[in-house]
Amino acid sequence: MMGLKKLLLVSLLAVLEARVAAGSHHGRSMPGSPYNISRNDRGLQQVVLAATYSFNNQSNDAFLFKPAAVHKAQRQVVKGVRYIVDLEISRTVCRKRDNNTLSDCDFQPEGHLHQTFQCHFEVWMIPWKNETKTLVFLCKP
Ligand SMILES: *[C@@H]1O[C@H](CO)[C@@H](O)[C@H](O)[C@H]1NC(C)=O
Ligand SMILES: *[C@@H]1O[C@H](CO)[C@@H](O)[C@H](O)[C@H]1NC(C)=O
Ligand SMILES: *[C@@H]1O[C@H](CO)[C@@H](O)[C@H](O)[C@H]1NC(C)=O
Ligand SMILES: *[C@@H]1O[C@H](CO)[C@@H](O)[C@H](O)[C@H]1NC(C)=O
């Protein structure tokens, strides 16, 4: 009995591996692998905004930063939805203490206050638990 189960499992794994290999061979995405999404994706816009708030909350900067460009945006369905994003975030002219609405804030003009960070972040949303986890959030100048 055990022997048969093991054999079935082994052949099932072999089939899965073959499918994964075939999928990558043809360059097509398999269910469960990350795929590129539009910059207009609603979920993407939400996670980008949340990441921006989190960046501003954690930075000691006197000014607010806002997204300048999205270089990569991927979505992956794994027990919920994972977003994988490469984002450029730049300093605006709005001071944090002035309590401005971020969308009204212009970027700093070229000059010593102009600064951009390259950020990579991954968030995992589990809708049925109403939970969003930040898995990675790295920014560098
Ligand atoms: C901002 O960060 C502090 C701690 O660093 C945290 O207690 C607070 O909840 C955060 N606020 C928001 C809006 O994320
Ligand atoms: C996905 O997007 C990245 C970055 O924009 C690009 O380099 C890559 O070729 C895209 N992949 C596919 C399969 O379109
Ligand atoms: C910030 O602005 C919001 C909405 O414009 C307002 O409700 C809030 O009281 C303001 N907070 C401070 C500290 O001025
Ligand atoms: C999920 O969380 C949001 C904000 O934290 C809350 O407003 C909403 O009622 C929650 N929904 C459920 C189903 O728990």
Side-chain angles (χ1 to χ4, degrees):
M1 227 15 217
M2 287 299 285
L4 184 58
K5 266 190 190 161
K6 225 180 223 170
L7 191 65
L8 280 175
L9 185 60
V10 167
S11 52
L12 185 63
L13 286 176
V15 169
L16 284 176
E17 269 169 27
R19 287 182 57 185
V20 169
S24 58
H25 179 70
H26 294 297
R28 288 213 321 267
S29 66
M30 297 290 294
S33 60
Y35 55 92
N36 286 350
I37 53 172
S38 154
R39 304 294 184 262
N40 298 321
D41 182 277
R42 265 180 68 83
L44 173 68
Q45 291 177 345
Q46 280 174 18
V47 297
V48 164
L49 205 58
T52 305
Y53 285 139
S54 156
F55 179 95
N56 282 325
N57 188 33
Q58 282 169 38
S59 83
N60 297 319
D61 209 276
F63 297 88
L64 291 171
F65 279 65
K66 74 173 186 179
V70 173
H71 290 305
K72 182 171 112 177
Q74 293 186 323
R75 195 174 192 274
Q76 182 181 21
V77 177
V78 268
K79 299 182 194 154
V81 181
R82 190 166 151 232
Y83 285 93
I84 304 157
V85 184
D86 286 347
L87 176 74
E88 235 175 60
I89 200 168
S90 290
R91 188 181 281 119
T92 70
V93 296
C94 294
R95 289 183 178 272
K96 274 184 184 172
R97 58 152 197 254
D98 290 344
N99 191 26
N100 288 302
T101 306
L102 198 54
S103 54
D104 295 339
C105 298
D106 292 327
F107 291 116
Q108 288 281 352
E110 289 298 332
H112 75 290
L113 280 177
H114 179 88
Q115 189 177 21
T116 296
F117 286 97
Q118 306 294 333
C119 301
H120 173 79
F121 74 88
E122 300 183 13
V123 295
W124 185 26
M125 303 201 298
I126 313 163
W128 57 91
K129 281 194 189 165
N130 203 14
E131 207 173 277
T132 300
K133 287 183 185 168
T134 302
L135 304 176
V136 187
F137 194 174
L138 295 171
C139 292
K140 55 182 193 321

